[in-house]
Amino acid sequence: MAVWKKIGKFLLILFILLLTAAAGAGGYLYVRYRPVYEAYRADAVRVVAESDEETFRKNLSSYIYDDSGNLIGKLSIDSESDYLRYEDIPQAVVQAFVAVEDRRFWEHEGYDPEGIVRVCYRYLATRGEEKHGASTITQQLARSAFLSNEVSLERKVREILIAAELEKKYTKEQILEFYINSAYFSNRCYGIEAAAKKYFSKSAKELSVSETAYLCAIPNAPSFYDPLKYPEHAVERRDKILNDMYECGYLTSFDLSRAQRYPVILHPKEAKGIQNYETTYAVDCAVRYLMELDGFVFRYAFENMDTYRAYLEHYNDVYEFCRGKLYTEGYVIRTSLNEEKQALLQKTIDETLAFDEEAGPEGIYALQSASTIIDNQTHKVVAVVGGRSQDTDVYTLNRAYQSYRQPGSSFKPLAVYGPALDNGYTKDSLLNNIDVAKAKEMGVDAVSLTGNKVSLERAVEKSLNGCAWWLFCSLTPAKGLAYVNLMEFSRIVPDDYYPASALGGLTYGVTTVEMANGYSTLANQGEYHQATCLISITDRDGRELYEKAEPWEVYTPSAASEMVEILKGVISQGTAASMKWDLPVEAAGKTGTTNECKDGWFCGITPDFAMSVWVGYDEPRILENLYGATYPASIWKTVMSELVKDSTRVAFTLEEEHSDSAYYATGAMDYNSYLPGRSDDEVLSEGYTVRNYREDHILADRAEALMYQMQNLNLETAYYAQEWQKLWEEAEQLIGQIYSQKLRGKEMEKLQGLLGNGN
């Protein structure tokens, strides 16, 4: 008994201490964050006081202009005829949303305390990883009308405060009216009436209970539940909503059973989409920028395919939401798109492919092309064509940024040779032109294969696949693709980290916008600028929202310049020599052809412009005589010849190799180049064989390549200082693996010497 008394006393003291600590922490937090809370509350009072019914109507058109101020697009929806007053909203719609989104809607004051406690608990339990949930209908209205979609505790607090103020100013019926009319149902549909007309070609009051629940499923994830793309996706959520309505007493068991068995048959209303390529691309640039303003974090590297798929699903939802904003919130968008260059590019593509008039079921040409032109000085897209021109009522697919295709050998300079030059290789480095068929069986171990020795420069000019495969394995796919990730290629996925990517054999592929910008990065001495046509975005009040992103270095200037010099040889004496470029303006580029001639590419640069061209079928199939040097190169030459005919910049600005560099790595990294002709088992000294010698020198080569890269980094920024440290640690680890004490000491001395050079 005495023991239990002691335990009880201990627990009581512990409880009092915890209570005291909680009170102290609460007091501290109250004192520290009270000013912030009061500021948020004052802002909530202000924005709600300034609101009226028009605040919640989606009825402002946006306008897009080219570089000369010509209107190239008006974006709008017919919101007035689709807006329903509360008394005109079918009760089944109200019941469906209340049942699935906010069962205590009629009782709470804008927020649900129980839900908030649950969110706070999950936030603490997951250490900030889980920061969302428990939003009432009023909170969702507050977020869509006044806040961004950024997932943060700060936004959640502001959301709750605004919701509380909305409940003070407006009736429950008004809040539901605003919410149901502003809910986004995908495909630029706001409100239940617009959705009913779009997907069932009838008014909301004519919907069955099953159809109502089906439509009310869409706002939860507009891209995933898009009826035009995935008509079956919303059925499962429809059944959940019907069950929720039953649990709330809105449906009888008979009504529930009948509604769940009711087949959903869509009768979508045909709508003519935007038909010109420049406008659709401008819309995409604007939507992505609005996503950024909304707090979305773009990603280009993923741990695994599941992570990528989850990201893509979230991306599509946010993209769809921000695209809806663009059509309803009155933005003015000014772009760098040039009417003359656009017309020239379109005309050239049309004329080059005019020999093939085969069309698919909807009348769209089977043989297609896409192309993008970037001004290397302004770093802006000036022309973008997503296909051949033709009159059609079908939405025009803009292949320039929407179609991801295998880039073939045009990918090599960006993912293989550029990174190699950045890691100590030179144009004279000798590569093994290995047997690709044999290499495919070995994976990254193909680096151990041998073949004819070919200089890196010659390997690029003649597009030798064996050299690219071997070199990519030597660098490792992770290192090569890291450069592509830095240039924001959006569909490089975990399944691409394999040797086949050296030849452009990617899971999804690339777009002409991405490829043009990759080559523009080379022309700009390795400095990357985000690809966009945006010059300005102003909101309904005339406030400027657009701010140009700062560039960053992908390749060192010397590596990029050497890559450009090598690519000049591709045009003068390599795979693109048949193009016969004979203008005084320097040109550099690379051909690309995929297996069985299903995709043809030419990506090239002049001092002023970067331009990529793709030719192929939407459904990949063989086209006789389709190579990078045929139709793609022909389109490139015709257009580029016109673009540069008045250029004053006729030569590339090249960065010379630093004369004070300590290391000019040979890039040999070839096992059999050391002590050639001798057996691995031959003993050189006690316990040290030819094999040991070769392995040691391979490690030394790799370490020196890293040292070479380190001394070319600009350490004035924190990013490159961290990168330098990372390279140091990697080189130190490689040196530590060297068996020979003498060689290990020699390489460590070189590494330590970099500290004395100011690094």
Side-chain angles (χ1 to χ4, degrees):
M1 184 66 72
V3 173
W4 287 110
K5 283 185 177 180
K6 287 182 179 180
I7 293 174
K9 184 178 180 180
F10 171 76
L11 292 175
L12 178 61
I13 293 171
L14 181 61
F15 175 74
I16 293 171
L17 288 174
L18 290 173
L19 196 62
T20 303
Y28 168 76
L29 293 173
Y30 176 76
V31 171
R32 179 172 181 181
Y33 292 107
R34 181 180 178 183
V36 177
Y37 169 80
E38 292 296 342
Y40 288 166
R41 185 173 181 278
D43 185 62
V45 171
R46 178 186 59 80
V47 298
V48 174
E50 292 175 355
S51 72
D52 56 26
E53 290 188 8
E54 288 300 313
T55 303
F56 306 99
R57 287 179 179 260
K58 304 291 185 179
N59 59 359
L60 293 177
S61 299
S62 294
Y63 298 88
I64 302 176
Y65 298 89
D66 68 12
D67 67 341
S68 297
N70 301 314
L71 180 67
I72 59 174
K74 177 184 176 183
L75 314 177
S76 61
I77 60 173
D78 186 15
S79 62
E80 291 303 317
S81 63
D82 294 333
Y83 192 92
L84 298 179
R85 289 294 182 183
Y86 180 78
E87 56 269 21
D88 297 321
I89 299 173
Q91 273 300 100
V93 175
V94 172
Q95 293 167 350
F97 276 121
V98 169
V100 74
E101 298 287 351
D102 188 2
R103 294 190 184 186
R104 295 186 61 252
F105 173 76
W106 298 103
E107 289 80 41
H108 64 62
E109 297 179 349
Y111 56 93
D112 182 358
E114 293 178 11
I116 294 171
V117 170
R118 185 171 65 252
V119 169
C120 291
Y121 170 75
R122 292 304 304 162
Y123 178 80
L124 294 173
T126 62
R127 297 183 180 181
E129 289 296 318
E130 195 172 309
K131 300 175 277 193
H132 50 76
S135 289
T136 65
I137 283 176
T138 316
Q139 285 176 246
Q140 292 180 54
L141 179 65
R143 180 170 67 245
S144 67
F146 303 109
L147 300 170
S148 74
N149 273 324
E150 179 185 7
V151 179
S152 68
L153 207 56
E154 173 191 330
R155 194 221 67 200
K156 180 63 70 175
V157 171
R158 297 183 66 199
E159 178 185 294
I160 292 169
L161 292 171
I162 293 173
E165 293 301 317
L166 286 172
E167 293 268 350
K168 294 175 185 177
K169 181 169 182 176
Y170 300 104
T171 66
K172 290 285 188 179
E173 289 78 9
Q174 284 178 303
I175 289 171
L176 273 174
E177 177 185 316
F178 300 153
Y179 173 79
I180 291 171
N181 280 288
S182 63
Y184 190 52
F185 291 81
S186 194
N187 295 296
R188 300 185 296 281
C189 290
Y190 283 92
I192 191 67
E193 181 71 4
K197 291 178 180 177
K198 177 72 176 179
Y199 303 122
F200 292 108
S201 295
K202 57 186 175 183
S203 175
K205 64 184 178 183
E206 300 174 285
L207 295 172
S208 69
V209 173
S210 178
E211 291 169 338
T212 296
Y214 181 88
L215 293 183
C216 291
I218 299 171
N220 181 257
S223 65
F224 181 78
Y225 294 126
D226 181 349
L228 300 186
K229 291 182 179 178
Y230 314 110
E232 72 286 356
H233 281 188
V235 173
E236 183 177 349
R237 185 165 172 83
R238 176 206 66 173
D239 291 345
K240 170 185 166 41
I241 292 174
L242 290 171
N243 273 314
D244 288 346
M245 293 173 72
Y246 169 72
E247 290 175 5
C248 291
Y250 299 139
L251 296 178
T252 66
S253 58
F254 175 76
D255 293 333
L256 172 64
S257 177
R258 183 175 60 179
Q260 288 182 332
R261 292 199 309 268
Y262 188 91
V264 175
I265 302 173
L266 297 172
H267 296 285
K269 177 183 176 183
E270 293 297 329
K272 191 171 183 178
I274 299 172
Q275 297 297 303
N276 61 73
Y277 298 120
E278 62 269 37
T279 304
T280 54
Y281 177 64
V283 167
D284 180 69
C285 290
V287 169
R288 287 172 57 83
Y289 193 75
L290 291 180
M291 291 171 68
E292 187 178 329
L293 293 180
D294 219 24
F296 184 83
V297 178
F298 293 91
R299 293 185 59 186
Y300 302 96
F302 305 91
E303 297 80 18
N304 51 57
M305 289 301 293
D306 287 340
T307 304
Y308 167 73
R309 294 186 189 99
Y311 166 82
L312 189 61
E313 184 176 333
H314 179 50
Y315 172 94
N316 288 336
D317 280 339
V318 179
Y319 187 98
E320 190 68 19
F321 175 80
C322 289
R323 186 170 69 144
K325 289 176 63 175
L326 193 64
Y327 276 77
T328 58
E329 297 194 5
Y331 297 99
V332 174
I333 301 151
R334 302 191 183 280
T335 75
S336 55
L337 297 169
N338 180 274
E339 183 180 17
E340 293 181 0
K341 294 180 177 65
Q342 185 75 25
L344 169 65
L345 183 56
Q346 185 70 72
K347 179 174 180 287
T348 304
I349 285 175
D350 291 344
E351 291 179 349
T352 303
L353 302 184
F355 69 91
D356 191 325
E357 296 185 351
E358 178 191 347
E362 295 178 324
I364 304 297
Y365 288 125
L367 180 61
Q368 287 290 347
S369 177
S371 180
T372 301
I373 303 172
I374 293 177
D375 186 315
N376 291 332
Q377 308 310 305
T378 65
H379 316 295
K380 299 290 185 181
V381 174
V382 294
V384 57
V385 168
R388 297 164 68 179
S389 57
Q390 60 186 125
D391 292 327
T392 176
D393 290 331
V394 179
Y395 172 78
T396 306
L397 174 68
N398 193 330
R399 298 164 186 81
Y401 77 92
Q402 290 179 311
S403 293
Y404 291 80
R405 301 300 292 248
Q406 305 297 314
S409 295
S410 64
F411 196 57
K412 294 174 184 175
L414 304 181
V416 183
Y417 294 112
L421 295 171
D422 211 27
N423 283 273
Y425 288 80
T426 72
K427 65 184 179 65
D428 298 317
S429 295
L430 295 179
L431 312 179
N432 282 318
N433 188 20
I434 62 176
D435 183 332
V436 172
K438 187 178 295 184
K440 288 179 179 179
E441 301 172 1
M442 300 181 65
V444 292
D445 293 333
V447 68
S448 63
L449 292 175
T450 59
N452 294 331
K453 301 295 183 185
V454 182
S455 72
L456 186 150
E457 180 177 36
R458 189 65 173 168
V460 176
E461 290 176 352
K462 296 304 179 183
S463 200
L464 301 178
N465 288 341
C467 290
W469 192 291
W470 179 85
L471 182 55
F472 196 59
C473 290
S474 298
L475 290 170
T476 73
K479 178 163 285 187
L481 293 179
Y483 287 81
V484 182
N485 289 335
L486 276 174
M487 292 184 288
E488 302 183 317
F489 279 61
S490 61
R491 294 289 179 92
I492 301 299
V493 297
D495 284 355
D496 290 326
Y497 287 76
Y498 294 98
S501 294
L503 312 185
L506 302 171
T507 304
Y508 296 107
V510 299
T511 67
T512 64
V513 173
E514 291 172 339
M515 291 299 287
N517 210 30
Y519 278 73
S520 183
T521 299
L522 294 174
N524 281 292
Q525 298 185 26
E527 186 176 79
Y528 174 79
H529 297 257
Q530 290 181 327
T532 185
C533 66
L534 297 180
I535 298 295
S536 167
I537 300 180
T538 54
D539 64 12
R540 66 177 74 185
D541 299 317
R543 292 176 298 186
E544 180 60 60
L545 303 179
Y546 181 70
E547 184 176 337
K548 186 178 179 181
E550 290 297 316
W552 55 82
E553 184 179 278
V554 174
Y555 309 96
T556 58
S558 57
S561 295
E562 189 164 15
M563 190 73 254
V564 171
E565 281 292 290
I566 293 170
L567 292 174
K568 286 164 59 178
V570 174
I571 288 181
S572 63
Q573 58 195 21
T575 56
S578 60
M579 184 172 63
K580 300 187 184 304
W581 180 262
D582 54 2
L583 276 72
V585 176
E586 288 186 340
K590 184 70 185 75
T591 55
T593 308
T594 61
N595 289 341
E596 300 180 317
C597 300
K598 293 179 180 178
D599 298 274
W601 287 80
F602 189 81
C603 303
I605 48 178
T606 60
D608 283 333
F609 298 101
M611 177 178 170
S612 63
V613 182
W614 164 83
V615 174
Y617 292 99
D618 285 335
E619 294 294 329
R621 55 185 164 106
I622 299 171
L623 173 62
E624 187 177 352
N625 200 37
L626 173 59
Y627 301 96
T630 56
Y631 308 117
S634 174
I635 293 169
W636 190 91
K637 179 186 178 183
T638 301
V639 173
M640 191 63 78
S641 297
E642 285 296 311
L643 294 179
V644 304
K645 65 180 181 182
D646 297 322
S647 290
T648 56
R649 299 175 71 251
V650 297
F652 291 104
T653 302
L654 301 178
E655 175 78 11
E656 296 297 329
E657 192 72 59
H658 298 298
S659 60
D660 59 346
S661 291
Y663 306 108
Y664 295 92
T666 62
M669 297 190 194
D670 178 8
Y671 183 85
N672 291 305
S673 68
Y674 293 102
L675 304 180
R678 298 170 71 168
S679 170
D680 269 354
D681 299 331
E682 182 182 342
V683 178
L684 298 175
S685 61
E686 186 176 352
Y688 195 72
T689 65
V690 167
R691 180 184 181 88
N692 297 141
Y693 180 92
R694 288 168 172 162
E695 290 176 344
D696 278 354
H697 281 77
I698 291 294
L699 290 168
D701 279 350
R702 292 168 61 191
E704 290 201 18
L706 294 173
M707 295 182 216
Y708 177 83
Q709 187 178 359
M710 289 162 65
Q711 61 184 11
N712 287 307
L713 287 177
N714 177 1
L715 300 183
E716 294 179 359
T717 65
Y719 171 81
Y720 290 114
Q722 292 173 2
E723 183 68 14
W724 192 90
Q725 180 64 32
K726 180 180 176 183
L727 292 170
W728 170 283
E729 292 171 357
E730 190 175 342
E732 187 177 39
Q733 184 181 35
L734 288 170
I735 293 170
Q737 297 175 46
I738 295 175
Y739 183 77
S740 167
Q741 291 184 8
K742 182 177 179 180
L743 182 59
R744 185 168 67 246
K746 179 182 175 182
E747 294 302 319
M748 186 57 71
E749 185 178 343
K750 290 180 181 180
L751 183 62
Q752 295 287 347
L754 291 177
L755 291 172
N757 292 333
N759 290 316

